[in-house]
Amino acid sequence: MGKRRVIAAASVIAAAGAATLAYASLYERLKFTLRRFDVPVLAADAEPLRVLQISDLHMTPGQRLKQDWTASLAALDPDLVLLTGDNLAHPDAVPGVARALEPLFDYPGAFVFGSNDYYGPVLKNPFGYFNKNKVNKPGNPLPTDDLRELLVKGGWADLNNQKTTVTAGGRSIELAGVDDPHIDLDDYPAVAGPVSADADVSIGVTHAPVRRILDAMAADGYDLITAGHTHGGQVCVPFYGALVTNCDLDRKRVKGLSRHGDAYLHVSAGMGTSPYTPVRLACPPEASVLTLVPRG
């Protein structure tokens, strides 16, 4: 009887595991979700301003559902679009990214890159994410120049270690960004300095929300900092949350809106996964509308 109970229990656990894997890979991974946050950073008499953030597409050829859903976000009529990196997961993915983003080129936008805009994904041991000293091994080169050309021709500002001011929603918005700090491509000194008093609002942009960049942007006075990279933990425990962040950001801020010093920080859980780990659990793929509203 004892042996039968053990076998029965093992069968139940195996069945539950298989069902969870099927749910995470076949359903939740494709349950694209729009999240909304109000961010109180504008002057008292200012009209709201809508910022659409898209992150971590990790596009591969043929992902038409993801492309169609992303393209449909143009119906939100955003004032500004921010693309926070890791757009590619295959050498032939640029046409798919174009199909997803071209309807959004009607709106002002800006972008930074992540490591998966430079190098393809590689097969990894998932437990390696718990090792703080793990070494990142790049995959094969991706068509970064083609991606950059697509986005710049679409009218969006390249914020990889660059700073600019754009007009969106009738407001002057100061933007500063860094190339991906996850693979040490960031050069914050190239954009460092206090924000302009002439701008209506200021936004810092990074792919990976590493603390050295967040600290610097907050110290320079940016009202809002946007990031991606974490996938929100990707595989989370219900009622507990993310197990890892894949950076030095604390687990409780792995996605969503929080404070970082005097700045607001928004970390997107992103829209894709690595082709080698095509699952999401308790963390559906997302894009976010950040509605900037008056302070207080």
Side-chain angles (χ1 to χ4, degrees), residues 207-233:
H207 175 64
V210 300
R211 293 188 64 90
R212 69 175 184 274
I213 300 301
L214 304 183
D215 291 347
M217 288 180 169
D220 277 343
Y222 285 89
D223 297 305
L224 170 65
I225 305 169
T226 57
H229 175 70
T230 66
H231 294 195

Side-chain angles (χ1 to χ4, degrees), residues 50-54 78-83 101 104-105 107-111 156 168 175:
R50 292 185 306 280
V51 177
L52 172 64
Q53 184 183 351
I54 297 171
D79 295 304
L80 177 69
V81 182
L82 295 178
L83 188 68
L101 295 181
L104 291 161
F105 289 157
Y107 305 95
F111 65 92
W156 289 0
L175 299 170

Side-chain angles (χ1 to χ4, degrees), residues 271-294:
M271 292 181 57
T273 68
S274 166
Y276 296 109
T277 53
V279 296
R280 278 183 176 259
L281 182 63
C283 186
E286 66 177 41
S288 299
V289 172
L290 309 176
T291 302
L292 310 190
V293 298

Side-chain angles (χ1 to χ4, degrees), residues 51-290:
V51 177
L52 172 64
Q53 184 183 351
I54 297 171
S55 196
D56 296 86
L57 286 167
H58 291 284
M59 194 72 72
T60 61
Q63 292 185 322
R64 296 184 71 87
L65 180 63
K66 185 194 298 183
Q67 295 164 17
D68 289 343
W69 192 84
T70 304
S72 75
L73 296 174
L76 297 170
D77 194 27
D79 295 304
L80 177 69
V81 182
L82 295 178
L83 188 68
T84 46
D86 272 8
N87 300 283
L88 306 177
H90 190 280
D92 299 326
V94 173
V97 173
R99 186 172 181 271
L101 295 181
E102 280 175 346
L104 291 161
F105 289 157
D106 290 337
Y107 305 95
F111 65 92
V112 295
F113 284 159
S115 61
N116 287 142
D117 295 310
Y118 295 101
Y119 305 106
V122 296
L123 182 63
K124 299 178 182 178
N125 180 350
F127 293 101
Y129 287 102
F130 293 93
N131 179 7
K132 295 181 179 180
N133 298 316
K134 69 182 177 71
V135 177
N136 294 308
K137 297 181 179 180
N140 294 324
L142 292 173
T144 309
D145 291 341
D146 293 345
L147 176 64
R148 193 188 309 271
E149 181 180 15
L150 167 72
L151 300 176
V152 171
K153 282 188 173 180
W156 289 0
D158 183 347
L159 294 180
N160 288 293
N161 298 324
Q162 297 188 59
K163 193 173 188 176
T164 191
T165 300
V166 301
T167 300
R171 261 66 62 86
S172 173
I173 304 175
E174 184 172 6
L175 299 170
V178 292
D179 209 339
D180 191 9
H182 184 61
I183 53 174
D184 298 320
L185 294 180
D186 55 297
D187 180 12
Y188 193 76
V191 299
V195 299
S196 171
D198 296 329
D200 293 303
V201 66
S202 55
I203 304 176
V205 186
T206 179
H207 175 64
V210 300
R211 293 188 64 90
R212 69 175 184 274
I213 300 301
L214 304 183
D215 291 347
M217 288 180 169
D220 277 343
Y222 285 89
D223 297 305
L224 170 65
I225 305 169
T226 57
H229 175 70
T230 66
H231 294 195
Q234 188 167 325
V235 177
C236 300
V237 176
F239 309 110
Y240 177 80
L243 299 175
V244 295
T245 65
N246 198 23
C247 63
D248 61 358
L249 188 69
D250 53 285
R251 186 182 57 79
K252 291 183 179 179
R253 296 191 292 162
V254 70
K255 67 177 180 179
L257 189 68
S258 63
R259 296 303 297 264
H260 192 88
D262 292 331
Y264 282 90
L265 168 66
H266 180 261
V267 180
S268 172
M271 292 181 57
T273 68
S274 166
Y276 296 109
T277 53
V279 296
R280 278 183 176 259
L281 182 63
C283 186
E286 66 177 41
S288 299
V289 172
L290 309 176

